[in-house]
């Protein structure tokens, strides 16, 4: 019986977070740990999608032998961005028939000081190549993202502008400095 209990305890699957109170501009690091070697497969994270964006997942494994006793551990580190303020629940996560306990976190509005610090850390600038255009003439609309070297960026860039009677087309890949081509369809247009 003791041997059977030690085997079931060794295969425990558990969850923890780096903190339980965050502001809406921050991320939560969820750690899922299983006391066993996992060579294939990952936990199903789809239950998180109601309240969180999954920004990234990393898996690591450890195997140790100390004084003839072995220990195996597989850890998934999941970075989550809350989708809204309030009390959010990280639901029970299932892997290989085992389930974690749910975790409740609180997502708050950032303080004015945190908002000011964020505005100094990350901001956008936009530039328009010309003020007035002829029909079928191209103008470049540039969005530049500035951020501090230690800033952690997540989320999407803002969408291209919606310009009436013009075709808006991204030039190149989405990256922090993307130019957009705007070609008016009708009479001369002012931006």
């Amino acid at each position: 019986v003791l041997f059977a209990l030690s085997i079931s305890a060794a295969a425990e699957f558990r969850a923890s977070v780096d903190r339980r109170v965050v502001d809406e501009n921050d991320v939560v690091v969820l750690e899922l740990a299983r006391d066993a070697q996992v060579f294939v497969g990952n936990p199903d994270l789809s239950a998180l999608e109601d309240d969180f964006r999954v920004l990234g997942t990393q898996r690591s494994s450890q195997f140790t032998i100390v004084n003839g006793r072995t220990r195996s551990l597989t850890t998934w580190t999941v970075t989550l961005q809350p989708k809204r303020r309030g009390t959010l629940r990280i639901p029970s996560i299932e892997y290989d028939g085992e389930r974690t306990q749910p975790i409740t976190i609180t997502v708050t509005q950032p303080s004015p000081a945190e908002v000011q610090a964020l505005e100094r850390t990350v901001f956008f600038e936009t530039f328009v190549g010309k003020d007035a255009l002829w029909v079928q003439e191209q103008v470049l609309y540039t969005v530049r993202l500035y951020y501090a070297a230690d800033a952690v960026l997540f989320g999407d860039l803002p969408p291209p502008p919606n310009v009436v009677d013009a075709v808006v087309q991204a030039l190149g890949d989405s990256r922090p400095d993307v130019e957009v081509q705007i070609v008016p369809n009708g009479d001369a247009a002012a931006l």
Side-chain angles (χ1 to χ4, degrees), residues 10-12 33-38 61-62 72-76 98:
E12 182 183 3
R34 184 168 193 244
D35 291 325
Q37 287 288 320
V38 175
S61 295
Q62 296 176 356
S72 297
L73 177 68
T74 302
T75 304
W76 292 268
E98 300 174 59

Side-chain angles (χ1 to χ4, degrees), residues 15-118:
S16 62
V17 291
D18 61 336
R19 56 217 150 127
R20 292 189 181 251
V21 178
V22 297
D23 73 53
E24 65 184 339
N25 294 324
D26 213 342
V27 295
V28 176
V29 178
L30 170 65
E31 185 176 278
L32 303 170
R34 184 168 193 244
D35 291 325
Q37 287 288 320
V38 175
F39 297 104
V40 293
N42 291 307
D44 180 11
L45 303 178
S46 61
L48 297 168
E49 294 173 358
D50 289 343
D51 290 328
F52 301 93
R53 287 182 188 84
V54 177
L55 301 179
T57 303
Q58 295 179 334
R59 179 170 73 181
S60 63
S61 295
Q62 296 176 356
F63 181 77
T64 56
I65 301 173
V66 178
N67 295 331
R69 300 189 77 167
T70 62
R71 180 170 187 244
S72 297
L73 177 68
T74 302
T75 304
W76 292 268
T77 303
V78 184
T79 305
L80 302 173
Q81 177 189 15
K83 289 184 176 179
R84 61 182 175 82
R85 284 185 230 149
T87 301
L88 303 182
R89 186 172 187 248
I90 296 174
S92 177
I93 307 289
E94 193 268 334
Y95 180 77
D96 197 26
E98 300 174 59
R99 298 192 77 77
T100 63
Q101 293 295 316
I103 299 172
T104 302
I105 65 165
T106 302
V107 181
T108 62
Q109 180 175 357
S111 70
E114 290 169 325
V115 170
Q116 287 178 347
L118 181 62

Side-chain angles (χ1 to χ4, degrees), residues 120-141:
R120 287 190 305 271
T121 304
V122 179
F123 63 93
F124 286 99
E125 280 186 355
T126 58
F127 304 95
V128 177
K130 295 181 176 184
D131 291 333
L133 302 172
W134 295 99
V135 174
Q136 300 296 320
E137 185 179 3
Q138 168 183 310
V139 66
L140 293 180
Y141 173 82

Side-chain angles (χ1 to χ4, degrees), residues 1-12 35 69 98:
V1 172
L2 291 176
F3 180 74
L5 289 175
S6 67
I7 288 175
S8 67
E12 182 183 3
D35 291 325
R69 300 189 77 167
E98 300 174 59

